[in-house]
Amino acid sequence: CGGSVSDSSGVLQSPRYPGSYPNDADCVWEIQVENNFRVTLTFRDIEMQSGTCQHDYIEVYDGPLHSSPLLGRFCSGSFPTYVSSSNMMSVRFHSDSSYSFRGFQAHYSSIPAGRNTTIQCLPDYMHVVISRDYLQSQGYSAQRVTLDDNRCRPTVTSQEVVFNIPYNSCGTVQEENNDTIDYSNTIRVASSGYIIKRKKNINLHVSCKMLRKSWQQVMYAAEDTVDVNEHQFGRYNMNLTFYNSPAFLRQVRSSPYYIDLNQNLYLQACLHNSDPNLKVVVDTCVASPDPHDFNTLPYYLVRNGCPRDSSYATYYSPSSHFARFKFNAFEFMSRHPSVYLKCQMLVCRLGDYSSHCYQGCSSRAKRDTSSAEEKVDVVVGPLRLREDGAPSGST
């Protein structure tokens, strides 16, 4: 149960709904819609063990589960509606080992944020767009919108003021804070007049916060009555590629990738990001014959940093943005025509020896209390057993 949800609208419901939900369930749905949209969630049915909501309950968070405000926790009563302050919302369903009921059903949809300022966290920079009509309506000139670093100027069009602010220059400050890695800068909007001023200057603070499984983008105005408060979420740019040898010089470009039973398979994960102070490692890799279902017939190669397959091994990487590993094609292949691999990569601060990138194999409970790190899922495949005449992906 649970998982990442990215459609613009849909339905969430407890496992087995409208039948009785199972005991000891703990499901988390992460709803992420388009940038500069918000999530609205309405519950249509709730039947759970009521009372103090200590045993079975639903929690709704305004963003990722471990780092966002709790919007509500309930197990009965009226059917509430929640609206996120960003393009992301998390819903958690928990049941204990006793009593079981019908559970819940909820509908979600995305609605435009309706702001005059937008922000996107792209792989190498913050993309900030400010409406010129909005500035003029507040009495400000587009020509007086700057960064502290005057060498980094915006592009001013007939309708917008556009900043592309790099994460590693233009005065951007990097800071590690609990389970986030923050990149922040300040856009200044100065009022006209040097001696007599009738309006305050605006300090527009923009930041991209790297969280588990997402980039969080934050924008707010300080020392002014202008209400600008934006949060957006995105994903890391990560890919996973097969190579034909442990030298990792030549990519396998054929798809499907035809292989032999017990053949060594070599993979490299690559993080595309301009911040050199990041490190990527393999957290979990699971195989399945269905690219959309890694729960019914899972085969784990590594889980929570702990190898589960005896052939799994990691390799030295020349860059902290790469993670290299190998395993043998397994008997699983002979029973299914195609096999897909889903890997969860863990990104941490380089040199942070308290992070799980350096600690390796550990329990899930311990990992959930970790410092700054993010997890990214990547699916590759299909893999197929090579038959006579089938093309080879290796040399």
Side-chain angles (χ1 to χ4, degrees):
C1 61
S4 296
V5 180
S6 57
D7 295 334
S8 59
S9 62
V11 176
L12 304 184
Q13 57 192 29
S14 51
R16 302 176 186 170
Y17 180 90
S20 297
Y21 52 76
N23 291 328
D24 299 314
D26 199 58
C27 314
V28 178
W29 292 268
E30 288 186 340
I31 307 170
Q32 181 182 333
V33 296
E34 292 184 46
N35 278 351
N36 303 303
F37 279 71
R38 304 192 191 283
V39 182
T40 178
L41 178 73
T42 300
F43 286 83
R44 303 290 180 84
D45 185 22
I46 304 171
E47 185 184 82
M48 302 171 60
Q49 183 177 358
S50 58
T52 60
C53 298
Q54 296 297 312
H55 306 287
D56 299 352
Y57 54 83
I58 302 165
E59 293 177 329
V60 180
Y61 290 86
D62 192 13
L65 179 70
H66 296 288
S67 52
S68 302
L70 178 66
L71 295 177
R73 175 175 175 160
F74 53 92
C75 56
S76 62
S78 60
F79 301 159
T81 294
Y82 297 98
V83 179
S84 67
S85 64
S86 70
N87 66 326
M88 192 171 184
M89 176 186 285
S90 295
V91 180
R92 180 188 183 194
F93 168 73
H94 176 83
S95 65
D96 67 2
S97 58
S98 64
Y99 302 114
S100 185
F101 298 85
R102 188 170 65 244
F104 79 91
Q105 185 181 75
H107 291 232
Y108 79 88
S109 61
S110 58
I111 56 176
R115 297 285 186 174
N116 295 293
T117 306
T118 62
I119 178 172
Q120 289 180 288
C121 285
L122 299 176
D124 294 319
Y125 56 89
M126 289 180 272
H127 181 71
V128 184
V129 179
I130 306 171
S131 163
R132 289 192 65 175
D133 287 344
Y134 168 69
L135 288 172
Q136 291 167 5
S137 70
Q138 301 297 318
Y140 295 93
S141 167
Q143 307 304 321
R144 301 183 67 82
V145 182
T146 63
L147 290 176
D148 284 342
D149 188 338
N150 290 323
R151 295 171 297 178
C152 301
R153 298 183 178 275
T155 299
V156 180
T157 71
S158 61
Q159 296 181 325
E160 300 169 334
V161 178
V162 181
F163 283 92
N164 291 323
I165 307 172
Y167 296 134
N168 57 356
S169 62
C170 291
T172 300
V173 176
Q174 302 178 19
E175 180 184 4
E176 187 168 335
N177 181 24
N178 294 328
D179 63 345
T180 65
I181 301 170
D182 303 351
Y183 301 91
S184 59
N185 210 313
T186 302
I187 298 172
R188 312 284 185 186
V189 185
S191 64
S192 59
Y194 294 94
I195 306 300
I196 299 175
K197 292 187 178 183
R198 301 190 184 277
K199 300 179 74 67
K200 291 183 178 180
N201 296 333
I202 297 177
N203 294 332
L204 194 62
H205 302 283
V206 292
S207 66
C208 289
K209 297 186 177 182
M210 188 178 73
L211 304 169
R212 286 176 152 182
K213 299 184 181 175
S214 65
W215 283 88
Q216 180 193 14
Q217 302 156 60
V218 181
M219 179 185 295
Y220 63 93
E223 302 176 348
D224 197 83
T225 58
V226 180
D227 180 20
V228 181
N229 192 334
E230 290 289 342
H231 301 71
Q232 301 299 323
F233 292 83
R235 297 286 178 186
Y236 257 134
N237 189 356
M238 180 93 69
N239 67 1
L240 189 61
T241 308
F242 286 102
Y243 281 76
N244 70 334
S245 77
F248 292 93
L249 296 176
R250 202 158 145 203
Q251 294 183 12
V252 176
R253 301 189 182 276
S254 58
S255 182
Y257 180 17
Y258 288 93
I259 60 177
D260 294 316
L261 199 63
N262 293 322
Q263 176 182 336
N264 279 330
L265 304 181
Y266 306 96
L267 292 102
Q268 175 177 275
C270 179
L271 170 67
H272 299 280
N273 190 274
S274 62
D275 185 355
N277 298 309
L278 296 177
K279 178 179 176 64
V280 61
V281 300
V282 182
D283 182 71
T284 298
C285 274
V286 57
S288 168
D290 185 344
H292 307 293
D293 181 2
F294 287 86
N295 296 312
T296 305
L297 289 172
Y299 181 84
Y300 284 92
L301 300 169
V302 57
R303 191 171 191 180
N304 302 338
C306 305
R308 294 293 184 88
D309 184 284
S310 60
S311 69
Y312 176 86
T314 59
Y315 286 89
Y316 166 78
S317 172
S319 167
S320 63
H321 283 202
F322 296 154
R324 294 173 170 179
F325 62 99
K326 71 98 176 176
F327 65 94
N328 299 133
F330 37 84
E331 184 64 24
F332 201 71
M333 292 291 305
S334 65
R335 302 196 303 273
H336 303 281
S338 299
V339 172
Y340 295 81
L341 194 65
K342 179 179 181 180
C343 293
Q344 187 174 72
M345 317 308 298
L346 187 64
V347 183
C348 310
R349 294 295 291 173
L350 186 65
D352 178 9
Y353 294 98
S354 65
S355 73
H356 298 297
C357 287
Y358 292 91
Q359 293 176 0
C361 179
S362 64
S363 68
R364 171 59 57 201
K366 187 176 180 180
R367 300 178 75 82
D368 280 345
T369 60
S370 58
S371 59
E373 56 194 40
E374 174 181 334
K375 293 174 183 171
V376 184
D377 290 339
V378 184
V379 177
V380 292
L383 300 172
R384 292 181 182 168
L385 277 181
R386 183 163 49 238
E387 301 174 356
D388 292 340
S392 172
S394 59
T395 57

